[in-house]
Amino acid sequence: MKQKKEGKKKESRAKKAAISHLHWYKEAVTTLDKGFAMSVIFDFAYLITVFCLFILFMVILKAILLPVAAALQAMLGILGSMPATGEIGLPVQNALTEKADTLLWFYGKLAALIIAGTAIFLGVTSFYKAFIWMHIKNLPLHNKYIFSFVSKNMTWQALWLALALLIFFALSVNFAAAFLMIELAAYLYFTPFFRAVLTEKHKMKEVYKETFVLGCKKFRHFIVPIIMMAITLLFSLWLFIILVKLIVPAAMMLIGIVLIFVAVSWSRYYFYVVTQKIHQPEG
């Protein structure tokens, strides 16, 4: 009798969980509002901004590389014209020293460009994500929230990046590749939790603890939502391919891109709905 009762209880809990997940999925579709539309717009704006930053980065990199290429060409010419005795006169030494200094400056400028570019990218990403999540949460425009989100999100991303660099340089190629894939999966899983629970009142330690506790303890509750998000995204991608291949590619490309963006933005919103239901249940 006890086994039958326990079996019925488990079956009842499974049915309730299935109903809850379907209800949350339906709620994430039927409650789309202006905030969701604004999050999609900010997603587009973020993509355009990152693309412009990439173009700017390449232009600056080209400007740095041109003097280096000229210096290397000049050094090869000087070395190629040296006498067979191998003696180097003072003018030649000065010329080689000048070109060598150009190469050294290149490494310094390249390092500064990479550091500045990374900092700008993290800042821009955090700034746009702050507005995206602010609209998803239907929060009023608040400078305190934006500052808190940007600063904490930049720190969050910087720590994951530092861990990736440590793994890359500390481990062998095979181990590094495996651990980097694990880290990427962990970053993609925990980051939505971090951004969903983050408020202007959170201290750094508190939001980190809440993120990992929620992500680990409630993992089983997010298995179904993650699968449903993956199915939705794959369906959107499949529909995009169908539209491009079967209809007019040039005309449908923009619609397909918009469809994918909306699907990605909706997945984020759906994740937030589920997080709110699980983390702060009603009643």
Side-chain angles (χ1 to χ4, degrees), residues 144-217:
K144 189 176 181 181
Y145 173 81
I146 294 173
F147 177 79
S148 176
F149 190 102
V150 170
S151 59
K152 291 180 176 65
N153 191 75
M154 284 187 69
T155 306
W156 170 265
Q157 291 179 310
L159 289 173
W160 284 97
L161 178 60
L163 177 60
L165 291 174
L166 178 63
I167 292 172
F168 180 79
F169 289 109
L171 301 178
S172 62
V173 175
N174 293 334
F175 281 106
F179 277 101
L180 285 173
M181 291 301 295
I182 294 172
E183 186 199 354
L184 177 61
Y187 172 79
L188 293 175
Y189 175 71
F190 284 108
T191 296
F193 288 104
F194 179 83
R195 292 169 178 167
V197 303
L198 178 59
T199 67
E200 68 274 11
K201 297 179 181 179
H202 274 106
K203 294 181 180 179
M204 192 73 71
K205 184 179 179 181
E206 293 173 346
V207 69
Y208 275 69
K209 180 181 178 181
E210 193 170 342
T211 297
F212 287 110
V213 168
L214 179 61
C216 293
K217 279 191 173 183

Side-chain angles (χ1 to χ4, degrees), residues 14-135:
K15 287 181 179 179
K16 287 181 180 179
I19 293 171
S20 296
H21 285 300
L22 289 173
H23 175 72
W24 297 340
Y25 190 91
K26 180 180 178 182
E27 182 176 339
V29 174
T30 57
T31 59
L32 298 179
D33 54 8
K34 182 181 176 181
F36 170 76
M38 289 300 298
S39 71
V40 177
I41 293 172
F42 275 106
D43 271 326
F44 270 105
Y46 171 66
L47 179 66
I48 294 171
T49 303
V50 170
F51 178 75
C52 293
L53 286 175
F54 175 76
I55 297 299
L56 179 62
F57 179 85
M58 296 305 295
V59 169
I60 297 173
L61 183 61
K62 182 180 178 181
I64 294 174
L65 284 172
L66 285 176
V68 175
L72 285 172
Q73 188 176 7
M75 289 179 70
L76 291 174
I78 293 171
L79 295 173
S81 62
M82 285 177 56
T85 57
E87 294 180 1
I88 302 177
L90 184 59
V92 175
Q93 289 181 4
N94 292 336
L96 288 173
T97 301
E98 181 183 351
K99 304 306 177 185
D101 289 341
T102 302
L103 294 178
L104 290 176
W105 271 106
F106 161 72
Y107 289 111
K109 291 177 181 178
L110 182 62
L113 177 63
I114 292 174
I115 293 171
T118 302
I120 292 172
F121 174 75
L122 295 181
V124 168
T125 298
S126 299
F127 182 76
Y128 274 101
K129 296 301 180 183
F131 278 92
I132 289 170
W133 280 96
M134 184 181 70
H135 283 94

